[in-house]
Structure formats: C-alpha cells, structure tokens
Amino acid sequence: MAQFFNPNRGKSRANTSKRQQYLLGEVSKLDHQGRGILRQQGTYFVAGALPGERIRVQTQAKHQARLVEVVEASDERVTPPCPYYQRCGGCDLQHLSLAQQRQHKQQTLAELLSKFAAIEVTDWAPMLTGEGWHYRQRARLASSYARGQRFQLGFRQRASQQVVAIEHCQVLAPPLAALLVPLQQWLGEHYQRIGLGHVELIAQPTPLVLLRVTRALDDEFVQQAEQFAAQHGCQLWSDDGQQTRAITAADEVRLTHHPLPLNFTPGDFIQVNQALNPAMVAQALSWLEATADDQVVELFAGMGNFSLPLAQQVKQLHCFEVSARMIQQLQDNAAAAGLSHVRGHAVDLNHDWLSRLNSMRIDKLLLDPARSGAQAALAQLQQLPAAQRPTRIVYISCAADTLARDSALLKQLGYGISKAGVIDMFPQTHHIEAMVAFAKE
Ligand SMILES: C[S@@+](CC[C@H](N)C(=O)[O-])C[C@H]1O[C@@H](n2cnc3c(N)ncnc32)[C@H](O)[C@@H]1O
C-alpha cells in the first residue's frame, strides 16, 4: 500500500537547501523523538516514517529529510484520525498503532539508558497505561492575528511559530474540546481590546479558561465574559503577568482525581493526564520505600502532587521548587491536610539547594524535573558524605534523554537502577514519561 503525504508538510523557507535531493530507502528504527531513521547516503531523521517502511524522502538541512512517499508501509501504520495531523505539531505518532507506540517508548528508554549510562535494566515494571485519546486535562493554545489574516486559536505548526487553527482535538478532554469553536468565535471579537496572548484550558475541577492578557479588562468585556461562561459552563480567568484572577464566578480550583485535597492556581503546572496521575504517584511512593523514621527530600515539587501523600508516610519532608507561588500553595495544601512536618523551599535547583538542609542526612530522595533534567541539582549530592546520601532515589522524568544523562551521574555516585518503567502519559505523541528507582550499591 503506497501512501502519499502533503508535500507542504514541514516545509519552510529556512530549511530549503541547495543540497536537496531525493532518496529511496528503508527505515531502520525510530529515534527518541519518534522520527524514522534512514541510513542512505548519510543518516536522515524523517518525521512520519516507521521502521521497516520503504520510503522516498527529500533531504533538507543536515540529517533532516522530508517524507514524500511511503512506498511500502509497515503493518503497524494506522490512518491518523485527526484532520490536523499533517500540520499540527501536537500528536506526532498518530500514524503508529498504540501498542507499538508503547513498545517503542520502553525500548527507547532502555536504549538511552544503555547508551548514555551503560545501564541494562533487568526489572521492568508493567507500563502504566490509560485511554489513548481524550486524556489531556490541560493544554495551551496559541493565538495569532497577523495583519490581514483572520484571528486564529490553536496549536503551533510543527517546527514553526505558525498557528494551526483547531476546531476539534481528540486528545483533549471532551469538556475542553467543546470550548474550541465557541472560544475561537468569541475571542475573535475581543482579542484586540484585551491584548490576548496564549489561552490555557484546564479541565480541573470544571472547565476553566485562562486568558493571558496585556490590557486591563473593561466592564463591558467582563459582562461578555460572564455571559460566555454561563452559556458554556466554564470559569474564565485572566493572567496579566502580575496577577492571576477569576474574571467570572469561580469555584475552588482543585485536582479532582487526587487522593488528597490539592488546590492550585490556574497557569501553574499540573500533570496533563490526571487519569493516570494517581497510579504514577502511588508507584513512586511504593518504589521509594519511605518509612516513618525517614527524612525525605523532594526536588521539583510543584504544588505538592507527590509531596502530600509522601508526607503521610515519613518523619520529615523538605520540598524544593523554583516557583514561590507554587511552594506557598504546597505549604497551604500541606497545612490544610494537617501535615505540619512539610517544609517548602522556593529555590532554583540549578543553584545551591543543599545548604538549606544544614547538613541533614537525606534518607530518601524523590525528584520530578522538567524536560531539561536535574544534572546541576543531583551533582550537589557529591558534597554530602556518603553516609548522608539517600539510600533510595526515585526519579520521574518527562524526557528520556536527560534521564539517561542524569542516570550516568547517579551511577558515578554509586547508585544502580533497581526498577524502571514507562507511564503512557502522552499517547499519540513521542513524549516519554518514565520512572526509575535507584538504590545505593
Ligand atoms: C514536571 S513538573 C513536576 C511538578 C510536580 N512534581 C507535580 O507532579 O505536579 C516540574 C516542576 O519543576 C519546577 N522547576 C522547573 N525548573 C526548576 C528549577 N530550575 N528549580 C526548581 N524547580 C524547577 C517547575 O516549576 C515545575 O513545578
């Protein structure tokens, strides 16, 4: 079965090169960004291509090639159901069956750990999985209103700043997806008077729309917002860079699937796949093996997703997080749950955090960094005498490459991997959420 691809897909003036040529060859495997690897007169990374497929490509920048035609398709190729798949930068693995996406993610994690840390995982946990679609409880939409063009609200195009206007999205939670068309129409009438930037959609606890604005909101807009909110059953909030506030009547903003009451401020980090989050938190706590005598440290703590359930099991918990607002929220959430032994530190973990602990022994360490990983934060463990270093570390990661790099560092510090597993938090995309437990060897 031959499949033809939109020749404009991914094409931009910046990567048009005089060295462009057409090549025909077989894809050997996927890389960690979900691109097919073609070794034909060099090595090329090809978005949209699958292992075993015979493809025709047009070379672009160094090592980049654009898929022109699938000459022989893989049995694992499926027809992407999303009408925006060709242009939207969001769900870049929709053309691969869900079972194979999952297999690819675990295999990629194993390969990266082997390549960058020389670690072969022997104990793989069963993957934590959920729904393949409609799972996103939080999404950021970009807006665009270039002169002479109609207002657009949607996701960014692949490898570009262009916005693809989106009316349907099959990975968004249905209450959020239902807001796409009404928001596009309503904000199309108001974007100039409020100086609209991006728009964040949050499904917890009821649909919530956060507008990033650069102008003060006048009474007429607020009235219109109230009408919109009543008609579409949502809350509207604004963020002007200084303050985040409710424009319309607002309920408490709280995670609904979490075992403990966790309030948060719209715009602050929450896990996008809230249906899988409780299983991830439970697994992290079980792998950490913390006891009632333990002094525990958590890095990149946010507003307390792991912290509160963890605090219930341990003697003392120190939480570190760069956002002062989130660490305040974490402390408020802990206080509301009666957990007075939780101490929050608003600290940039690229800089010294260890001195905050006054030479305290760390029994267990849990960390959940952003994609850039935790190299600078973990390197500081070297300053501790070996007896004061944690006996177990649980590392939750949303980027397998930086996890592998940081695993090499932990290995140098005397840790081995006792367990690893993938959490299928972002189906249809190449993004890999992983959890690894390290133990002192
Ligand atoms: C992947 S989120 C995890 C948050 C939390 N563990 C959760 O599950 O909700 C990463 C967190 O790291 C924080 N962060 C990012 N860079 C940081 C830095 N340099 N120092 C400290 N915290 C940082 C972010 O603000 C965010 O809350």
Side-chain angles (χ1 to χ4, degrees), residues 247-294:
I247 310 173
T248 61
D251 301 330
E252 204 163 42
V253 182
R254 174 179 283 193
L255 296 188
T256 46
H257 294 60
H258 204 276
L260 284 164
L262 267 192
N263 288 5
F264 65 98
T265 306
D268 283 349
F269 179 90
I270 61 165
Q271 301 285 347
V272 299
N273 193 329
Q274 283 293 321
L276 267 187
N277 185 51
M280 175 172 78
V281 172
Q283 180 172 283
L285 266 52
S286 139
W287 289 12
L288 197 61
E289 298 178 6
T291 69
D293 295 328
D294 279 343

Side-chain angles (χ1 to χ4, degrees), residues 255 262 268-271 274 277 280-281 298-307 320-323 326 345-351 366-373 396 398 433:
L255 296 188
L262 267 192
D268 283 349
F269 179 90
I270 61 165
Q271 301 285 347
Q274 283 293 321
N277 185 51
M280 175 172 78
V281 172
E298 183 189 358
L299 306 179
F300 308 95
M303 49 56 173
N305 183 34
F306 293 95
S307 332
F320 291 79
E321 158 65 46
V322 72
S323 158
M326 292 178 85
H345 305 266
V347 169
D348 180 346
L349 288 159
N350 288 314
H351 302 291
L366 184 141
L367 69 158
D368 178 21
R371 280 186 203 158
S372 51
I396 300 110
C398 54
E433 183 86 6

Side-chain angles (χ1 to χ4, degrees), residues 382-403:
Q382 293 173 86
Q383 297 165 26
L384 279 177
Q388 281 176 252
R389 292 184 195 161
T391 51
R392 283 188 87 78
I393 298 176
V394 171
Y395 188 142
I396 300 110
S397 158
C398 54
D401 50 350
T402 53
L403 171 62

